[in-house]
Amino acid sequence: MAKIAYILLCHKDPEAIIRQAEMLTAAGDYMAIHFDARAKPEYFRQIHSALADNPNITFARKRIRCGWGEWSLVQATLNAVEAAVETFPRATHFYMLSGDCAAIKSATYAHDFLDRHDVDFVESFDFFESDWIKTGLREERLIYRHVFNERRQKMRFYLALNLQKKLRLTREIPHDIQVQIGSQWWCLRRRTIEWILEFIRQRRDVMRFFRTTWIPDETFFQTLVRHLVPAQEIETRTLTFLMFTDYGMPVTFYNDHYNLLLSQDYLFARKISPEAQELKKRLGALYADEEAQFQISNEGRSLFKFLTGRGRIGRRFASRFWETESTLGRERELLIVICKKWHVAKRLLERIRLVTNVPAIEYLFNEEETELPDLGGIQATLGKRARHRRSLLRMLFDYYETDRLIVCIDPGNLDLLQDFCGDRSVTKLLEVQCNFSDEYLIGHAKRVGLAGEQTPQDTLERLLPTIRGDITFESDRIRDSDFENHLIMRQSAGVGQNADLIARFLGIQPEKAREIAQADHLFAD
């Protein structure tokens, strides 16, 4: 059975570190602790005194003064790893942790999981080919030498960097390694750890290289694992659940995140708020629970993106050239059906096709698989369609040799509606407002990834008002935009009233509009 040696890097909150160490080792696992030499000495004495008699806990032989972005973080990790390898010969896996991490599964679950997956878990993406680095220095991390701390010695850091650039003092990457990048939170098998320790004893050139790279904790282990371990034995993911805000800051978890954390397909989570004492207590009890069962739904990231995105409405950038320098044409008429229930809009379009000769296209800006003619590649992806929206519609008008075209758009695409309604062409909107049952909203949440088949019922119940409110909010935004030629067709209205709206929208005779409005099961789910 798997036996885990946790590699804990920490620098504060000694009481929390003691509780964390005692909890994780009580289930028979091990821990090697590196406490930052920069932290208060009395903190370390408190931790060492409380844990020194625990045979499942050891300390790094040498403590390092750690700084963000420096080699010191890697060296501290290696010191703790070496202590764990020497002290705990029965350890089968080595798991990197910080003081802000907490187990979100039981020890039994974690051991069974690692027994079933004989691989190393580490994010390991090609440094140059991947888009893991979103902003800031990229190649400069490697080809220049970095000896100053960017946060504490910012002026010296950039002075040294710019001087190397000016004098072209670049250096070669060791020829036989392919640099990788990823999160520092890994879980490696004992054999892999031993290979890494042997490698660093033999390859002083590689060690010299990484000692002066910038943020090496994101590249060192990631590169060596990929260099030493067969690709089929590497799972390019972390077992620690972590998320980042739009501003690049780690998301912090609080007491009310308990059920959410348990349903994620991870063994640990970071970072846990120091104030979330109830959450820590419940997770600590859970780790020792041998009978605990887990329903994995894994909707955490999509749910966070959805909830934090609400209310962030506004156009961040100036208009694109294809939005201001092109038009659909004054003589053309664009008819837009707006509906949150896509199947209802598609049924409506099907009836319109049968009764009129107006070309009608379904959710071309929302569904990749929407059937479209070959327009030279502009229709290939949703991204291209949205970027070249007016050009795309002009080409569709030309393809169908028509001056009238119907399309479906989701009510969440306010930017598209604003753009088309601002065109010199005639634009008409028919918003179809439907009734939404709880069952439908739950199904919707699962379809868009906000929930899964195993999402707990109480989580769904808390989510439903938010989803329902979001749908109402989208409709209110459309109404507040005060678009010209905006008609609203409601499920709760009678056939006669809806037929009148359809007749005005399509410009057809009332009897034809009634034929469309009284279609069987138009609003059925």
Side-chain angles (χ1 to χ4, degrees):
M1 185 180 76
K3 300 277 284 185
I4 307 171
Y6 293 108
I7 309 301
L8 179 64
L9 266 58
C10 48
H11 65 280
K12 61 181 180 179
D13 201 351
E15 292 85 0
I17 297 302
I18 293 169
R19 289 194 299 268
Q20 184 183 30
E22 290 176 340
M23 179 198 79
L24 293 178
T25 57
D29 290 313
Y30 311 110
M31 179 174 287
I33 300 175
H34 179 279
F35 194 78
D36 194 341
R38 197 183 302 277
K40 295 181 179 180
E42 58 268 28
Y43 285 177
F44 178 71
R45 289 194 293 268
Q46 180 180 352
I47 294 172
H48 192 275
S49 175
L51 302 176
D53 294 334
N54 189 325
N56 286 7
I57 295 176
T58 190
F59 293 85
R61 302 292 182 261
K62 182 179 180 181
R63 294 169 57 211
I64 304 294
R65 295 171 63 87
C66 297
W68 183 86
E70 294 180 356
W71 168 257
S72 56
L73 285 175
V74 178
Q75 187 61 63
T77 305
L78 289 173
N79 290 355
V81 166
E82 289 172 345
V85 169
E86 178 182 342
T87 309
F88 310 124
R90 297 181 59 195
T92 61
H93 293 77
F94 295 76
Y95 196 120
M96 179 76 174
L97 288 178
S98 77
D100 294 324
C101 296
I104 57 175
K105 298 292 186 294
S106 65
T108 300
Y109 182 97
H111 296 154
D112 290 345
F113 180 91
L114 294 176
D115 284 337
R116 287 185 282 108
H117 298 84
D118 187 21
V119 294
D120 294 308
F121 291 91
V122 58
E123 283 191 350
S124 182
F125 303 100
D126 186 277
F127 186 93
F128 296 100
E129 299 298 328
S130 71
D131 63 346
W132 202 86
I133 300 174
K134 302 299 182 183
T135 59
L137 302 182
R138 190 182 183 92
E139 184 183 30
E140 295 91 340
R141 293 188 183 196
L142 307 180
I143 63 174
Y144 297 114
R145 296 169 177 83
H146 303 277
V147 296
F148 298 108
N149 184 283
E150 193 268 346
R151 291 188 174 178
R152 291 185 289 105
Q153 302 167 298
K154 187 177 291 289
M155 183 178 296
R156 292 180 178 179
F157 178 90
Y158 286 104
L159 181 64
L161 174 61
N162 293 330
L163 183 61
Q164 291 178 81
K165 287 182 177 180
K166 183 177 182 179
L167 298 178
R168 299 181 180 179
L169 298 178
T170 60
R171 59 175 177 173
E172 295 291 332
I173 297 172
H175 69 279
D176 61 334
I177 67 170
Q178 185 175 2
V179 179
Q180 306 287 307
I181 191 166
S183 166
Q184 70 180 106
W185 311 108
W186 41 255
C187 177
L188 305 178
R189 296 167 296 175
R190 185 181 192 91
R191 183 186 65 178
T192 302
I193 288 292
E194 291 174 344
W195 283 350
I196 290 174
L197 295 179
E198 180 62 25
F199 180 88
I200 64 178
R201 284 191 288 267
Q202 296 179 0
R203 294 296 302 272
R204 297 299 180 186
D205 60 323
V206 175
M207 295 296 285
R208 284 194 299 270
F209 170 77
F210 277 109
R211 284 181 189 278
T212 51
T213 59
W214 190 46
I215 320 183
D217 54 302
E218 293 180 352
T219 55
F220 180 77
F221 286 98
Q222 297 79 356
T223 300
L224 266 57
V225 171
R226 185 68 65 177
H227 181 76
L228 297 169
V229 179
Q232 64 270 22
E233 296 183 24
I234 301 174
E235 182 104 9
T236 310
R237 57 163 292 197
T238 174
L239 293 180
T240 299
F241 180 59
L242 65 160
M243 298 188 295
F244 291 89
T245 68
D246 293 345
Y247 308 102
M249 300 301 293
V251 173
T252 300
F253 298 108
Y254 297 92
N255 291 333
D256 56 352
H257 286 118
Y258 179 79
N259 288 328
L260 173 70
L261 293 176
L262 265 58
S263 64
Q264 306 312 306
D265 190 19
Y266 297 85
L267 304 184
F268 280 76
R270 78 177 305 268
K271 56 195 240 174
I272 309 298
S273 169
E275 288 76 33
Q277 296 301 320
E278 180 185 349
L279 176 61
K280 293 181 179 180
K281 182 178 179 180
R282 296 179 71 184
L283 292 176
L286 177 72
Y287 191 74
D289 187 351
E290 297 181 359
E291 305 299 326
Q293 299 294 316
F294 300 91
Q295 295 180 328
I296 306 300
S297 54
N298 218 30
E299 76 286 356
R301 285 190 170 85
S302 58
L303 187 58
F304 175 79
K305 183 178 180 181
F306 167 71
L307 294 175
T308 55
R310 297 176 70 248
R312 295 182 184 176
I313 306 302
R315 301 191 69 178
R316 186 176 177 186
F317 300 104
S319 298
R320 312 296 199 217
F321 72 89
W322 56 78
E323 297 173 356
T324 58
E325 298 183 7
S326 63
T327 178
L328 303 182
R330 292 183 183 274
E331 73 285 357
R332 285 173 168 164
E333 187 176 39
L334 178 63
L335 307 174
I336 302 177
V337 176
I338 308 165
C339 186
K340 196 65 179 180
K341 288 188 177 181
W342 294 2
H343 60 280
V344 172
K346 291 176 182 179
R347 288 195 198 117
L348 181 61
L349 255 63
E350 183 60 31
R351 295 298 301 175
I352 292 174
R353 291 191 189 102
L354 293 175
V355 175
T356 74
N357 292 321
V358 182
I361 303 173
E362 297 173 358
Y363 288 87
L364 72 165
F365 295 108
N366 302 104
E367 287 188 304
E368 196 92 58
E369 62 272 19
T370 298
E371 186 174 345
L372 291 170
D374 186 353
L375 302 174
I378 194 174
Q379 82 293 343
T381 66
L382 290 178
K384 284 187 176 181
R385 296 175 199 174
R387 286 196 300 273
H388 307 289
R389 57 192 70 164
R390 293 193 184 184
S391 297
L392 173 66
L393 288 184
R394 284 204 314 274
M395 295 172 75
L396 288 171
F397 275 111
D398 294 339
Y399 178 85
Y400 289 108
E401 298 180 349
T402 182
D403 287 332
R404 303 185 78 212
L405 182 69
I406 306 174
V407 299
C408 291
I409 291 181
D410 187 272
N413 296 125
L414 183 64
D415 59 330
L416 295 177
L417 299 176
Q418 290 172 329
D419 189 24
F420 292 138
C421 288
D423 190 77
R424 290 193 289 271
S425 64
V426 176
T427 304
K428 293 183 179 180
L429 310 179
L430 179 63
E431 182 181 355
V432 183
Q433 293 187 352
C434 303
N435 301 330
F436 295 93
S437 66
D438 288 351
E439 291 75 18
Y440 177 85
L441 292 179
I442 290 173
H444 171 74
K446 292 178 180 178
R447 285 190 294 273
V448 299
L450 299 179
E453 293 299 330
Q454 304 299 324
T455 299
Q457 185 63 32
D458 59 342
T459 299
L460 291 173
E461 291 174 355
R462 290 199 302 270
L463 185 59
L464 285 179
T466 303
I467 298 176
R468 193 181 297 278
D470 199 61
I471 293 173
T472 302
F473 177 64
E474 290 177 349
S475 181
D476 287 343
R477 287 169 58 205
I478 295 173
R479 183 175 297 185
D480 292 342
S481 297
D482 198 24
F483 293 126
E484 191 176 358
N485 301 321
H486 176 205
L487 305 174
I488 300 177
M489 172 178 162
R490 295 180 173 86
Q491 181 176 348
S492 57
V495 170
Q497 185 177 349
N498 285 337
D500 179 62
L501 292 168
I502 293 173
R504 292 164 57 191
F505 176 66
L506 296 174
I508 61 177
Q509 295 299 317
E511 58 271 17
K512 287 190 174 182
R514 190 173 187 87
E515 187 179 345
I516 296 172
Q518 64 186 10
D520 293 337
H521 312 298
L522 177 61
F523 291 99
D525 290 333

